[in-house]
Structures are given as structure tokens and as C-alpha cells.
Amino acid sequence: MLAEIRSLNEECGVFGIWGHENASQITYYGLHALQHRGQEGAGIVTTDGETLKPVKGEGLVNEVFTPEKLAKMAGTGAIGHVRYATAGGSGIENVQPLLFNSTTGSLAISHNGNLVNANHLKDHLERQGSIFQTTSDTEVLAHLIKRSGYENFEEKIKNALSLLKGAFACAILTEKAMYIALDPNGLRPLSIGKLGDAWLVASETCAFDIVGAEFVRAVEPGEFIIVDKEGMRVERFAYPNERSICTMEYVYFSRPDSDIDGINVHTARKRLGKQLAKEVQIDADVVTGVPDSSISAAIGYSEESGIPYELGLIKNRYVGRTFIQPSQDLREQGVKMKLSPVRQVVDGKRVIMVDDSIVRGTTSRRIVKLLKEAGATEVHVVISSPPIKNPCFYGIDTSTSGELIAANNTVEEMREQIGADSLTFLSVDGMVQNIGRTDPGSKCGHCLACFTGEYPTDIYPDTVLPHQKEFS
Ligand code: SF4
């Protein structure tokens, strides 16, 4: 679906490279491949072995970086970040990598995910004298590292990481090394790659493909990986907990050409579409998917049901990201600018519209309306995930429970509100089984909290939702 017109947003993408003379350029291309994970800000920090050099700004990757800026970023190590700015957390000071200079050595951090105990830790740190410069929970990690009582720098980082709760997939850069860490539940994807002798890290494997690197392996939950002139060493900062990767990475966020733990995202989405067609049989003339993330599931639905797949909706790729739509009227107009129905495909047809999720329901209502205005005689909405009934505390901006349509309405009430002729969601079991993870010793390998309300970590009383991420 279109990130611009919905309230379900990923927070970040992380990339890093160590041991390549074109580190900044490769990071730039890696961030390009991760652009779908955040469009509000981008940054790169490089090291030449002596100093860390940052370039960052608000906007898209190609708006923030120019060839001239990249050419000045010499060095063989770099980390980068793309960011989705949450309300209360926007502003250049929050664009990552966050860079911290001190006489004992500098460090830069790129972080994907949301800490559930950030406020708790921040209160504690402030009582010890820390002064925070940003509203990002990532800054907590830097303060914990600097304040750790350990002598050895690597032990300081490990000690700091062990105090964090929630979701964190991190790349940390110092003058002399790059460090990689993933939270003990493995809530976010993070992979290691190789390009010649250089080591890479990325939120998604599509970032390796774009720079010609090979995928080596996924980072394991609780791992702490050190990359420096000696090569790569793998240690741990925590024992792994039950694996709980974010299910929405498969359903919606990740690029279809990425693999998460060996499972291709497009292929998994197709299986979800096939399973939907097994769970609900609908008499219709044509199947269409909401671009881009629902196309794979729509193809799967079509294959299983035998109803032809057609491009019933087209995404206008050149609508400005910053288009401001203050009124309801203008918002309606905005959707028409971003999505267009193909009249010749849907006119006079009974249409099955496959989408990946429903958050508030406003987008679904607009799309159903678009299809009906274009002549569809019936619009059946089928969703390739279960109803989202609970907020996400791990870095996905799913709004509060009050705004989630499925938290407050039955499926029939939702159908009525979006104006569809029928509305069907995929079952939790159907989703999990068809993504197809096999995690020994784990119930299913997934976080399902937004569907089931069972959170894989403790939730603290002062845990903030991503869009409320403003320290008080
Ligand atoms: S609550 Fe939902 S969106 Fe958040 S990490 Fe879990 S599965 Fe992903």
C-alpha cells in the first residue's frame, strides 16, 4: 500500500560497511535500496581511521546527498540510516546516524526499532547527570555506553545493549571498528553481507543486491558482532529469547526482493494470497492488488482461485512526498492523485481487491470508492493479514488503539464503514504457516502482538508509542 496515505509506517533502515575504499558511495546506494523504510531523513557517517565525519539531512536519500558531499566523505568504514520521522520526533537533530564526540573516542549509531524502556532508562541517566540532545530513544544507548563502568570499550557496548528492552537492530561506528547488534527477540531483520574483503550489514538483503554484495547470514538475536582490521568476530551481549520477528516485515514493510531468514518476501506474500483464496471463496470477475506491497498477494489469490489478476489500480509515482492535505476534501483528492483505477479493467466487473492490512480504514474506504466510481459493480476486500487490534511498541507506527478500526469494530461494522460488498481477513494460523518460518524451540518465530495482543517483551508503564516518541 502507499506509505504516504496510511498510518502504518516503518521507522528505519540501517546499512553499514567496513573495509572498502568507496564506503560512503556504497552506503549511499545501500540506503537507496532501503528508502521504502523511511523517507523523512537520511544520513551517513564515515571513518578514515582518525575521525568520524557525518552528512545528514531531512528528505530522501537523493535529496540529502550530492556527489560533492559523498566525495568529501573519505574513509573505508561507514554506517547509514534512513528514517521515518514520527510525530514529536522529527527534526534534523533526530536524523541518524547519531554522532557523539568525546575526548575518549567518538561513536555513531544507526538504530532500527523502538525501545520499550527508553523513558525508564532516560530518567535514570538524567538523575546521573546526562543531558539529552535529541528526542530519539537511540541516544539512550550512547549515554549507557559512555557511562558503563567497564574499562574495555567492547564490554561497555555489550553492557549497554544488555540494558535495552524492545526492538533494536543497530550498527555502531567508531574510528577503529564497526559493531552490529540485534535485540534478543530478533524483532527486526538484520543481515551480514560481503563485498570482496569488505563486510556489510543491512536491514534488508535487497541492499546487498544493489551494490553487488553477497548475503552471508542473518544476524542472530542477542549477537554482538565486531568488524575491524582483524576481520569479523562474533560475540553475544545476551542469550536469545524466543524468536519474535515482526510479522509485518513479511506482510507489508520489506521489499519483495528481500529475503528474511531465507524466506523471500514476494514468495511469502504470494503464499498468503493463496491461503486467503483457500479461506474465502468469492464469486468475482477480476482480482487486483493495491500497489505496491499487495501485488504479490493478489497474484497468489488469483493463482489459487483461478480468477484472473488484472492491474485495476495504478500508483502515480511522481506525487510529491510532501504534498499537504489539510482538509478532508483535499485528502480525498490526494488519494486520487496517488492511486488511479483502471476503468477498462474494473468497469462492470465484480472486483476482489487484495490489500495487506487495514489500520484506520480511511484508505480502504477511499479505494473502494475509487473502484466503484470507475464502474466496479461489486468490491470485495480481502486482507492478507489478520485484523490489527493492538498498537505496536517496537517501531511500527500503527496509531493508538483508539484509532485502529479493528480494535473498535466487528468485521461487519468495518465492512460497512469502508463501503465494501464483503471484507475478509486472513487467519493468524493461515498467515504464520504460510510465511513458513521454522524456528526450533519457538512457538512460531513471529511477533504477532498487533493481531493477538501478546507482546513478546515486557511493556513498561512509561513505554511510548512510536508516534508519541517525545521524552517528557
Ligand atoms: S506488534 Fe505487529 S507491527 Fe509491531 S513488531 Fe509486532 S508484528 Fe510487527
Side-chain angles (χ1 to χ4, degrees):
M1 190 189 284
L2 298 172
E4 299 92 331
I5 57 171
R6 64 184 297 172
S7 56
L8 189 59
N9 285 294
E10 172 63 79
E11 273 206 66
C12 300
V14 168
F15 187 88
I17 182 165
W18 186 267
H20 198 289
E21 59 184 8
N22 294 323
S24 63
Q25 282 96 337
I26 288 170
T27 304
Y28 169 81
Y29 287 114
L31 294 183
H32 248 296
L34 300 174
Q35 185 77 83
H36 59 289
R37 298 181 73 88
Q39 297 96 43
E40 305 301 326
I44 296 175
V45 172
T46 53
T47 174
D48 58 6
E50 299 298 327
T51 51
L52 298 187
K53 190 171 171 51
V55 171
K56 54 185 189 171
E58 294 177 275
L60 299 172
V61 173
N62 62 4
E63 293 169 337
V64 172
F65 298 100
T66 61
E68 295 73 30
K69 281 183 186 166
L70 286 173
K72 286 183 191 155
M73 299 185 79
T76 56
I79 61 170
H81 194 265
V82 287
R83 179 163 195 274
Y84 161 68
T86 53
S90 59
I92 183 68
E93 73 278 7
N94 287 320
V95 175
Q96 297 191 24
L98 296 185
L99 175 59
F100 304 90
N101 290 308
S102 84
T103 50
T104 55
S106 305
L107 78 143
I109 305 176
S110 289
H111 166 211
N112 174 212
N114 200 49
L115 305 180
V116 295
N117 64 339
N119 266 359
H120 177 78
L121 291 170
K122 184 172 181 265
D123 281 352
H124 179 70
L125 287 161
E126 280 189 337
R127 276 199 293 274
Q128 293 184 336
S130 288
I131 296 172
F132 286 80
Q133 297 172 22
T134 74
T135 54
S136 161
D137 54 355
T138 309
E139 192 179 353
V140 169
L141 175 58
H143 284 264
L144 289 172
I145 294 170
K146 282 295 175 187
R147 287 185 169 273
S148 170
Y150 284 86
E151 284 294 314
N152 176 290
F153 185 67
E154 287 164 15
E155 293 303 320
K156 281 178 186 280
I157 305 180
K158 286 201 280 188
N159 175 241
L161 289 166
S162 71
L163 299 172
L164 306 181
K165 306 282 183 218
F168 50 100
C170 299
I172 301 171
L173 189 72
T174 66
E175 291 87 346
K176 308 289 184 197
M178 176 170 77
Y179 305 95
I180 299 159
L182 181 63
D183 67 76
N185 292 92
L187 276 149
R188 298 268 152 250
L190 194 63
S191 293
I192 304 282
K194 197 99 199 274
L195 179 63
D197 292 332
W199 291 98
L200 289 79
V201 61
S203 293
E204 288 185 41
T205 59
C206 64
F208 298 150
D209 298 333
I210 201 170
V211 298
E214 66 181 279
F215 166 78
V216 175
R217 71 171 178 89
V219 179
E220 295 289 324
E223 275 188 343
F224 176 66
I225 298 175
I226 303 133
V227 190
D228 58 16
K229 65 178 182 346
E230 311 295 333
M232 186 176 92
R233 301 192 311 281
V234 180
E235 298 185 12
R236 285 201 158 273
F237 68 91
Y239 289 111
N241 290 341
E242 186 166 326
R243 188 68 202 264
S244 316
I245 190 154
C246 171
T247 310
M248 293 306 285
E249 292 282 354
Y250 289 100
V251 170
Y252 165 61
F253 296 120
S254 293
R255 254 174 54 163
D257 53 335
S258 287
D259 296 341
I260 305 174
D261 293 328
I263 298 172
N264 172 252
V265 170
H266 161 73
T267 312
R269 286 182 190 158
K270 248 179 94 172
R271 285 197 297 268
L272 298 182
K274 282 176 185 264
Q275 177 63 20
L276 257 177
K278 287 178 192 157
E279 293 187 13
V280 57
Q281 284 86 42
I282 298 168
D283 212 5
D285 303 307
V286 64
V287 177
T288 195
V290 180
D292 290 320
S293 53
S294 306
I295 302 290
S296 306
I299 292 170
Y301 191 101
S302 167
E303 279 184 15
E304 183 66 29
S305 65
I307 301 170
Y309 168 79
E310 287 283 1
L311 269 184
L313 290 160
I314 300 292
K315 181 177 174 179
N316 180 358
R317 296 178 191 284
Y318 304 102
V319 174
R321 169 182 56 85
T322 53
F323 184 68
I324 298 163
Q325 305 157 50
S327 69
Q328 184 65 20
D329 274 2
L330 283 178
R331 272 202 292 276
E332 299 284 338
Q333 187 62 35
V335 170
K336 281 182 192 159
M337 287 179 68
K338 289 164 186 164
L339 267 186
S340 299
V342 182
R343 183 173 292 277
Q344 287 79 353
V345 167
V346 302
D347 192 11
K349 303 274 176 50
R350 297 167 299 167
V351 178
I352 294 175
M353 179 192 111
V354 182
D355 204 352
D356 47 66
S357 53
I358 295 184
V359 182
R360 290 190 235 191
T362 45
T363 306
S364 304
R365 190 176 69 239
R366 290 177 201 145
I367 300 172
V368 169
K369 192 163 164 243
L370 282 181
L371 290 169
K372 291 209 166 178
E373 283 172 357
T377 54
E378 294 173 18
V379 178
H380 300 273
V381 176
V382 296
I383 305 294
S384 60
S385 64
I388 296 176
K389 296 183 175 179
N390 307 282
C392 174
F393 297 105
Y394 305 121
I396 306 303
D397 187 2
T398 49
S399 305
T400 60
S401 296
E403 293 169 321
L404 293 169
I405 187 172
N408 304 294
N409 295 278
T410 63
V411 173
E412 174 55 21
E413 286 166 345
M414 291 165 70
R415 180 204 66 74
E416 209 170 296
Q417 287 176 34
I418 67 172
D421 292 276
S422 71
L423 172 63
T424 312
F425 290 88
L426 187 58
S427 63
V428 172
D429 284 350
M431 175 177 70
V432 168
Q433 281 162 17
N434 284 279
I435 288 172
R437 289 185 66 93
T438 48
D439 296 84
S442 155
K443 259 193 299 193
C444 68
H446 292 267
C447 172
L448 298 167
C450 51
F451 311 115
T452 64
E454 285 175 43
Y455 292 90
T457 70
D458 289 339
I459 301 296
Y460 289 66
D462 57 357
T463 296
V464 286
L465 288 163
H467 72 291
Q468 297 168 328
K469 199 191 285 176
E470 181 81 73
F471 290 120
S472 53

